Amino acid sequence: MAQNTNFSGIFDEDINLKGLFDILNPENNLVLADDMMLSDAKGTILRVSETYERNFGFAHNSIVGKSAFDLEADGTFTPCITAEVIRQKRKITATQTINHTHRNVMTVGIPLFDDNGELKYAVCFNTVSMEQINTIQRNYRHLQDSLQQYSQEIAELRTRATSTTLVFKSHSMQRLWTLIQNTANTKANILITGETGVGKSAVAKAIHAMSNRSEGPFIEVNCAVLHENLIESELFGYEKGAFTGAASGGKIGKIELANHGTLFLDEIGELPPHIQSKLLQLIQEKTIERLSGTRKIELDFRLIVATNRNLEEEVQRGLFRSDLFYRLNVIRIHIPPLRQRKEDIFPLSHQFLARFCGEYGKNLTFSPRFLNFLERYEWPGNVRQLENLIERLVIIVQDPIIDVTALPQEYTGQEEPLPAVLPERSGTLAERMDAYERQIIRESYRRCGTTVAVARDLGISQATAARKIAKYVSAAERGGVS
């Protein structure tokens, strides 16, 4: 009922309205409708509000003058709250059924007494009907469910937006994304595994971007390309005069640069044993000493490592410290190869096409035949190979449509056979050996396609294979593979 209702003229002047105003007090938090019924002490209905008649299907003044007890007896109201108030002479709050409209309404009935304590009136207000309450409750639950769903979607979109390089559609990557969301803001060490080129670095960057360290530095170190004699100084830094050729002022190492951010060590399996020991100590103490230094430097960083090796097997073979492995393997994130999640090929391809067209000022599209090729190809170099191929084609294709006719020979199987590997017949011994090694590395790389496969083919470590491929194989030749 409206709070500004004027009760003057409705009740006798000697009526105590305290009970009425107690009910209307906003502190009671009671939602009253504009439906009101007023009767005298004998139950004769003196007045009802227009909304009462309209809401419950009564003709105008059709119940005014009637007895509340008669209306209860003939089933108009079950029970009749007005009659109950008169009988019990106290406030009544109960559900009242208005039978001819089958409405269940929560009703508050209030007795009004004169100064002598005699009952003079009974006034009833309807609150929100039970149907309305049930509807409100249902709508509220529905809104809560929708809000929770939308909040989750917004949170996922917001976190996805922090790392635009991660594009996926497959269920396996969606499960992986959920794991990333749940672990990004923890301090736990993360071990990312997967074949070369699956996107381990992109996942590490996404974890950093989603974490509470996103404003700090992200320092990435590829352990496979660091020279074994320099890896310790690169990671831990050194003081001035630490060794011959050292910078005069010393140097801050990669680990120290990651302070208050994230340190990502890619190809962690390539670390030599003595560096593994120092890394274990670093994890345990979170302090370092630079080479030739005596001062311990406290650091605060999140450690993420990655490898394409099976570290469990490396531990069993004695090539990787078991205690370090267990320290690193707190949270394992395994990225499946692209051939096992082919639903991701098309969205990745279109993302790469849009990026490289923007970089090189072109406007290209894929032909249906080319898209069919992308889906059927096994992608031994995974996402990196796909990315390199798209960039290569954007550069060289002059037509507006990229078709299979533009594919490099190594994808079509129509390349000319390589000439036999023959040693050079001129130059010094070192020059001839270098030329011979170049031919061997290039031929193996053309056949195998990845650093892992080359290492296996030639019986060398992946770190050695990576260094020699970088030395002998041109960027153009490496464009199609990881």
Side-chain angles (χ1 to χ4, degrees):
M1 182 171 179
Q3 300 298 312
N4 62 355
T5 299
N6 185 358
F7 292 103
S8 61
I10 297 179
F11 306 113
D12 294 340
E13 292 183 0
D14 62 342
I15 294 300
N16 183 355
L17 299 178
K18 181 178 183 301
L20 177 60
F21 288 120
D22 284 346
I23 291 298
L24 297 177
N25 191 329
E27 294 180 359
N28 288 325
N29 201 27
L30 184 65
V31 180
L32 298 178
D34 288 330
D35 308 325
M36 182 190 74
M37 176 186 288
L38 174 69
S39 72
D40 62 17
K42 295 181 180 180
T44 301
I45 297 173
L46 304 175
R47 180 178 297 189
V48 295
S49 63
E50 291 183 6
T51 58
Y52 192 100
E53 294 176 325
R54 183 171 61 251
N55 289 342
F56 300 112
F58 293 106
H60 182 59
N61 287 334
S62 62
I63 59 175
V64 173
K66 293 185 177 180
S67 167
F69 296 98
D70 292 341
L71 293 172
E72 183 180 50
D74 66 17
T76 301
F77 300 108
T78 306
C80 180
I81 301 303
T82 297
E84 285 296 320
V85 169
I86 295 172
R87 280 193 287 261
Q88 300 185 36
K89 294 182 173 58
R90 66 180 181 88
K91 184 184 75 172
I92 302 291
T93 301
T95 300
Q96 177 176 254
T97 302
I98 302 172
N99 287 298
H100 76 285
T101 56
H102 305 289
R103 297 283 296 277
N104 297 317
V105 181
M106 185 67 72
T107 303
V108 179
I110 306 159
L112 299 180
F113 303 94
D114 62 17
D115 293 338
N116 297 320
E118 295 293 326
L119 180 67
K120 294 284 290 190
Y121 300 104
V123 59
C124 292
F125 296 98
N126 292 335
T127 68
V128 178
S129 70
M130 296 304 295
E131 286 83 357
Q132 289 173 302
I133 291 173
N134 292 334
T135 300
I136 291 171
Q137 288 178 333
R138 286 194 300 270
N139 290 340
Y140 178 70
R141 286 193 295 267
H142 177 70
L143 287 172
Q144 277 189 316
D145 294 341
S146 299
L147 179 62
Q148 182 178 6
Q149 178 184 347
Y150 295 147
S151 297
Q152 291 174 346
E153 292 178 358
I154 290 170
E156 182 172 345
L157 288 172
R158 183 178 292 118
T159 52
R160 286 280 291 273
T162 63
S163 179
T164 55
T165 59
L166 285 186
V167 175
F168 52 82
K169 186 179 179 181
S170 63
H171 292 302
S172 60
M173 289 299 291
Q174 289 174 6
R175 289 192 298 270
L176 183 145
W177 181 257
T178 300
L179 177 60
I180 291 174
Q181 285 182 299
N182 293 337
T183 57
N185 249 354
T186 68
K187 295 181 179 180
N189 299 330
I190 293 180
L191 171 62
I192 305 174
T193 60
E195 296 179 3
T196 298
V198 290
K200 297 186 287 293
S201 176
V203 167
K205 290 173 182 175
I207 294 171
H208 172 74
M210 293 162 57
S211 74
N212 51 16
R213 297 176 179 269
S214 59
E215 298 299 320
F218 177 84
I219 304 299
E220 180 173 356
V221 180
N222 189 332
C223 302
V225 300
L226 291 177
H227 194 282
E228 188 169 335
N229 295 334
L230 299 177
I231 189 169
E232 185 171 3
S233 62
E234 284 292 317
L235 289 176
F236 293 89
Y238 56 84
E239 300 291 354
K240 62 180 180 179
F243 51 87
T244 303
S248 59
K251 182 180 179 181
I252 296 177
K254 300 291 188 182
I255 297 172
E256 197 173 340
L257 289 174
N259 197 25
H260 303 301
T262 300
L263 175 65
F264 174 51
L265 300 180
D266 198 5
E267 304 301 349
I268 190 70
E270 301 293 337
L271 288 180
H274 72 286
I275 301 299
Q276 292 181 27
S277 300
K278 294 201 68 171
L279 181 59
L280 176 63
Q281 183 180 8
L282 170 67
I283 293 172
Q284 292 171 337
E285 300 178 2
K286 284 296 173 75
T287 62
I288 64 166
E289 288 184 19
R290 298 175 186 170
L291 290 182
S292 297
T294 57
R295 178 173 59 96
K296 286 188 176 295
I297 303 171
E298 292 188 4
L299 299 175
D300 172 30
F301 60 87
R302 171 72 172 286
L303 180 62
I304 304 176
V305 301
T307 183
N308 56 22
R309 294 189 178 191
N310 186 326
L311 288 187
E312 287 93 336
E313 290 184 0
E314 299 285 296
V315 169
Q316 292 177 356
R317 294 168 57 192
L319 300 177
F320 200 85
R321 292 182 63 116
S322 60
D323 46 4
L324 176 58
F325 169 70
Y326 294 123
R327 286 282 189 174
L328 298 175
N329 192 36
V330 178
I331 297 172
R332 175 81 71 96
I333 295 178
H334 179 73
I335 307 175
L338 192 55
R339 62 183 174 275
Q340 293 179 6
R341 48 185 178 100
K342 294 204 168 185
E343 305 97 312
D344 296 334
I345 292 175
F346 286 176
L348 282 168
S349 300
H350 284 96
Q351 183 207 35
F352 296 145
L353 179 66
R355 169 152 57 93
F356 293 127
C357 280
E359 289 182 12
Y360 297 107
K362 290 193 172 183
N363 184 17
L364 305 176
T365 59
F366 296 132
S367 74
R369 285 198 310 173
F370 185 78
L371 289 173
N372 185 47
F373 161 79
L374 293 178
E375 191 173 38
R376 289 186 294 105
Y377 192 70
E378 287 299 305
W379 302 108
N382 292 292
V383 178
R384 191 180 304 155
Q385 180 184 4
L386 175 62
E387 181 181 17
N388 290 343
L389 175 64
I390 300 302
E391 181 178 17
R392 184 175 178 177
L393 293 176
V394 169
I395 293 172
I396 66 174
V397 168
Q398 300 302 314
D399 297 325
I401 298 176
I402 298 177
D403 193 26
V404 293
T405 55
L407 285 168
Q409 290 181 334
E410 59 262 32
Y411 288 90
T412 61
Q414 298 175 352
E415 59 183 312
E416 296 296 324
L418 290 172
V421 177
L422 296 175
E424 291 287 335
R425 296 188 178 182
S426 62
T428 65
L429 177 61
E431 291 171 341
R432 295 185 189 187
M433 293 294 292
D434 189 67
Y436 190 37
E437 186 178 64
R438 178 187 296 108
Q439 289 182 324
I440 294 172
I441 294 296
R442 291 182 64 198
E443 189 275 331
S444 178
Y445 188 72
R446 292 288 294 275
R447 283 189 295 103
C448 301
T450 67
T451 57
V452 176
V454 169
R456 190 181 300 116
D457 180 47
L458 300 180
I460 56 179
S461 71
Q462 188 192 0
T464 301
R467 285 194 297 271
K468 292 187 180 298
I469 289 169
K471 179 180 179 181
Y472 294 128
V473 182
S474 68
E477 291 175 296
R478 297 197 307 270
V481 281
S482 164

